[in-house]
Amino acid sequence: MRASGVVALAIVICACSQGQPSSSSAAADANAQIADRKNPFPPTGLVTDAANVLTANQRAEMTQKLAKFESRTRHQMAIVTTPSLGGRDVAVYTKDLANSWGVGRKGINDGIVILIAPTERKVRISVGHGLEERLPNALCQQIIESEMLPSFRRQDYAKGLAAGADALIAHLR
């Protein structure tokens, strides 16, 4: 996953400052606040468990599965758990996270993010434009409802995430 630049954020903040002088410290604080909304935590790999709902073994197994998938297809899939959406819409949150982390290949837009916010009981599969034809929204919603939610209702997040990833991988063979 590629790192997101801060230069564009500084340009937006300067353009929106309404001509008011600002110290570099104030601009840095504003940049950090915007970055935090777009990217509330850094990725820790193909599986980022910020909500702490997976064991180390579960994270390792999922990481291995996703790495094998990426090696075989070159498409990148990330699994993310978040402690909170911060009041944001799950679709927007997931898209912003995928974009800020750079999931998928630049120019091909073939990244996939499976995100759950267990506290808010929200789940989303976000697919880059390059895979939308093969993984349309209706299919992703069907995978969520039939493969993932039954396990999530039992608070078995690992099983639901693995089932969702497996279903997506099966559709991309």
Side-chain angles (χ1 to χ4, degrees), residues 134-147:
R134 294 178 67 194
L135 297 173
N137 286 338
L139 174 62
C140 291
Q141 189 60 39
Q142 179 185 0
I143 289 170
I144 289 170
E145 291 172 6
S146 64
E147 304 296 327

PDB file of all heavy atoms in Angstrom, residues 134-147:
ATOM      1  N   ARG A 134     -16.710  -7.139 -12.405  1.00  0.00           N
ATOM      2  CA  ARG A 134     -16.646  -8.523 -11.933  1.00  0.00           C
ATOM      3  C   ARG A 134     -17.211  -8.685 -10.529  1.00  0.00           C
ATOM      4  O   ARG A 134     -17.632  -9.778 -10.149  1.00  0.00           O
ATOM      5  CB  ARG A 134     -15.199  -9.010 -11.977  1.00  0.00           C
ATOM      6  CG  ARG A 134     -14.712  -9.077 -13.441  1.00  0.00           C
ATOM      7  CD  ARG A 134     -13.293  -9.510 -13.571  1.00  0.00           C
ATOM      8  NE  ARG A 134     -13.106 -10.896 -13.159  1.00  0.00           N
ATOM      9  CZ  ARG A 134     -11.908 -11.421 -12.928  1.00  0.00           C
ATOM     10  NH1 ARG A 134     -10.823 -10.696 -13.072  1.00  0.00           N
ATOM     11  NH2 ARG A 134     -11.813 -12.683 -12.556  1.00  0.00           N
ATOM     12  N   LEU A 135     -17.185  -7.600  -9.745  1.00  0.00           N
ATOM     13  CA  LEU A 135     -17.719  -7.622  -8.381  1.00  0.00           C
ATOM     14  C   LEU A 135     -18.687  -6.448  -8.193  1.00  0.00           C
ATOM     15  O   LEU A 135     -18.387  -5.494  -7.478  1.00  0.00           O
ATOM     16  CB  LEU A 135     -16.579  -7.529  -7.353  1.00  0.00           C
ATOM     17  CG  LEU A 135     -15.557  -8.648  -7.324  1.00  0.00           C
ATOM     18  CD1 LEU A 135     -14.419  -8.316  -6.373  1.00  0.00           C
ATOM     19  CD2 LEU A 135     -16.212  -9.967  -6.936  1.00  0.00           C
ATOM     20  N   PRO A 136     -19.860  -6.519  -8.823  1.00  0.00           N
ATOM     21  CA  PRO A 136     -20.819  -5.408  -8.700  1.00  0.00           C
ATOM     22  C   PRO A 136     -21.369  -5.305  -7.273  1.00  0.00           C
ATOM     23  O   PRO A 136     -21.293  -6.253  -6.475  1.00  0.00           O
ATOM     24  CB  PRO A 136     -21.911  -5.769  -9.696  1.00  0.00           C
ATOM     25  CG  PRO A 136     -21.804  -7.241  -9.889  1.00  0.00           C
ATOM     26  CD  PRO A 136     -20.362  -7.597  -9.672  1.00  0.00           C
ATOM     27  N   ASN A 137     -21.940  -4.157  -6.975  1.00  0.00           N
ATOM     28  CA  ASN A 137     -22.489  -3.909  -5.637  1.00  0.00           C
ATOM     29  C   ASN A 137     -23.476  -4.978  -5.198  1.00  0.00           C
ATOM     30  O   ASN A 137     -23.481  -5.396  -4.038  1.00  0.00           O
ATOM     31  CB  ASN A 137     -23.148  -2.536  -5.567  1.00  0.00           C
ATOM     32  CG  ASN A 137     -22.140  -1.417  -5.520  1.00  0.00           C
ATOM     33  OD1 ASN A 137     -20.988  -1.620  -5.144  1.00  0.00           O
ATOM     34  ND2 ASN A 137     -22.562  -0.234  -5.909  1.00  0.00           N
ATOM     35  N   ALA A 138     -24.330  -5.421  -6.111  1.00  0.00           N
ATOM     36  CA  ALA A 138     -25.341  -6.425  -5.755  1.00  0.00           C
ATOM     37  C   ALA A 138     -24.681  -7.733  -5.309  1.00  0.00           C
ATOM     38  O   ALA A 138     -25.126  -8.360  -4.342  1.00  0.00           O
ATOM     39  CB  ALA A 138     -26.281  -6.681  -6.931  1.00  0.00           C
ATOM     40  N   LEU A 139     -23.631  -8.138  -5.991  1.00  0.00           N
ATOM     41  CA  LEU A 139     -22.912  -9.355  -5.604  1.00  0.00           C
ATOM     42  C   LEU A 139     -22.236  -9.175  -4.251  1.00  0.00           C
ATOM     43  O   LEU A 139     -22.314 -10.057  -3.391  1.00  0.00           O
ATOM     44  CB  LEU A 139     -21.872  -9.728  -6.669  1.00  0.00           C
ATOM     45  CG  LEU A 139     -20.965 -10.908  -6.311  1.00  0.00           C
ATOM     46  CD1 LEU A 139     -21.772 -12.190  -6.127  1.00  0.00           C
ATOM     47  CD2 LEU A 139     -19.887 -11.080  -7.370  1.00  0.00           C
ATOM     48  N   CYS A 140     -21.609  -8.030  -4.039  1.00  0.00           N
ATOM     49  CA  CYS A 140     -20.955  -7.771  -2.750  1.00  0.00           C
ATOM     50  C   CYS A 140     -21.972  -7.780  -1.613  1.00  0.00           C
ATOM     51  O   CYS A 140     -21.708  -8.333  -0.537  1.00  0.00           O
ATOM     52  CB  CYS A 140     -20.192  -6.447  -2.795  1.00  0.00           C
ATOM     53  SG  CYS A 140     -18.744  -6.497  -3.878  1.00  0.00           S
ATOM     54  N   GLN A 141     -23.135  -7.192  -1.850  1.00  0.00           N
ATOM     55  CA  GLN A 141     -24.183  -7.195  -0.827  1.00  0.00           C
ATOM     56  C   GLN A 141     -24.667  -8.616  -0.545  1.00  0.00           C
ATOM     57  O   GLN A 141     -24.898  -8.985   0.611  1.00  0.00           O
ATOM     58  CB  GLN A 141     -25.359  -6.299  -1.250  1.00  0.00           C
ATOM     59  CG  GLN A 141     -26.363  -6.084  -0.151  1.00  0.00           C
ATOM     60  CD  GLN A 141     -25.760  -5.416   1.087  1.00  0.00           C
ATOM     61  OE1 GLN A 141     -24.928  -4.522   0.984  1.00  0.00           O
ATOM     62  NE2 GLN A 141     -26.170  -5.866   2.257  1.00  0.00           N
ATOM     63  N   GLN A 142     -24.795  -9.421  -1.589  1.00  0.00           N
ATOM     64  CA  GLN A 142     -25.195 -10.820  -1.414  1.00  0.00           C
ATOM     65  C   GLN A 142     -24.145 -11.584  -0.594  1.00  0.00           C
ATOM     66  O   GLN A 142     -24.507 -12.376   0.283  1.00  0.00           O
ATOM     67  CB  GLN A 142     -25.384 -11.479  -2.780  1.00  0.00           C
ATOM     68  CG  GLN A 142     -25.775 -12.938  -2.697  1.00  0.00           C
ATOM     69  CD  GLN A 142     -25.838 -13.577  -4.090  1.00  0.00           C
ATOM     70  OE1 GLN A 142     -25.587 -12.945  -5.111  1.00  0.00           O
ATOM     71  NE2 GLN A 142     -26.158 -14.855  -4.109  1.00  0.00           N
ATOM     72  N   ILE A 143     -22.877 -11.337  -0.861  1.00  0.00           N
ATOM     73  CA  ILE A 143     -21.800 -11.992  -0.094  1.00  0.00           C
ATOM     74  C   ILE A 143     -21.877 -11.575   1.371  1.00  0.00           C
ATOM     75  O   ILE A 143     -21.753 -12.414   2.269  1.00  0.00           O
ATOM     76  CB  ILE A 143     -20.421 -11.674  -0.712  1.00  0.00           C
ATOM     77  CG1 ILE A 143     -20.274 -12.405  -2.053  1.00  0.00           C
ATOM     78  CG2 ILE A 143     -19.286 -12.037   0.239  1.00  0.00           C
ATOM     79  CD1 ILE A 143     -19.061 -11.995  -2.870  1.00  0.00           C
ATOM     80  N   ILE A 144     -22.102 -10.300   1.617  1.00  0.00           N
ATOM     81  CA  ILE A 144     -22.228  -9.825   3.001  1.00  0.00           C
ATOM     82  C   ILE A 144     -23.377 -10.542   3.698  1.00  0.00           C
ATOM     83  O   ILE A 144     -23.214 -11.081   4.798  1.00  0.00           O
ATOM     84  CB  ILE A 144     -22.432  -8.294   3.037  1.00  0.00           C
ATOM     85  CG1 ILE A 144     -21.125  -7.581   2.649  1.00  0.00           C
ATOM     86  CG2 ILE A 144     -22.911  -7.842   4.421  1.00  0.00           C
ATOM     87  CD1 ILE A 144     -21.287  -6.087   2.414  1.00  0.00           C
ATOM     88  N   GLU A 145     -24.541 -10.549   3.059  1.00  0.00           N
ATOM     89  CA  GLU A 145     -25.736 -11.104   3.694  1.00  0.00           C
ATOM     90  C   GLU A 145     -25.671 -12.615   3.873  1.00  0.00           C
ATOM     91  O   GLU A 145     -26.068 -13.127   4.915  1.00  0.00           O
ATOM     92  CB  GLU A 145     -26.975 -10.713   2.891  1.00  0.00           C
ATOM     93  CG  GLU A 145     -27.278  -9.234   2.993  1.00  0.00           C
ATOM     94  CD  GLU A 145     -28.391  -8.773   2.061  1.00  0.00           C
ATOM     95  OE1 GLU A 145     -29.027  -9.621   1.401  1.00  0.00           O
ATOM     96  OE2 GLU A 145     -28.613  -7.545   1.989  1.00  0.00           O
ATOM     97  N   SER A 146     -25.181 -13.328   2.874  1.00  0.00           N
ATOM     98  CA  SER A 146     -25.226 -14.785   2.955  1.00  0.00           C
ATOM     99  C   SER A 146     -23.973 -15.417   3.568  1.00  0.00           C
ATOM    100  O   SER A 146     -24.068 -16.435   4.245  1.00  0.00           O
ATOM    101  CB  SER A 146     -25.481 -15.396   1.573  1.00  0.00           C
ATOM    102  OG  SER A 146     -24.415 -15.109   0.695  1.00  0.00           O
ATOM    103  N   GLU A 147     -22.821 -14.807   3.347  1.00  0.00           N
ATOM    104  CA  GLU A 147     -21.568 -15.420   3.806  1.00  0.00           C
ATOM    105  C   GLU A 147     -21.032 -14.840   5.110  1.00  0.00           C
ATOM    106  O   GLU A 147     -20.420 -15.550   5.894  1.00  0.00           O
ATOM    107  CB  GLU A 147     -20.487 -15.283   2.718  1.00  0.00           C
ATOM    108  CG  GLU A 147     -20.865 -15.854   1.369  1.00  0.00           C
ATOM    109  CD  GLU A 147     -21.075 -17.358   1.391  1.00  0.00           C
ATOM    110  OE1 GLU A 147     -20.404 -18.051   2.166  1.00  0.00           O
ATOM    111  OE2 GLU A 147     -21.926 -17.835   0.617  1.00  0.00           O
TER     112      GLU A 147
END
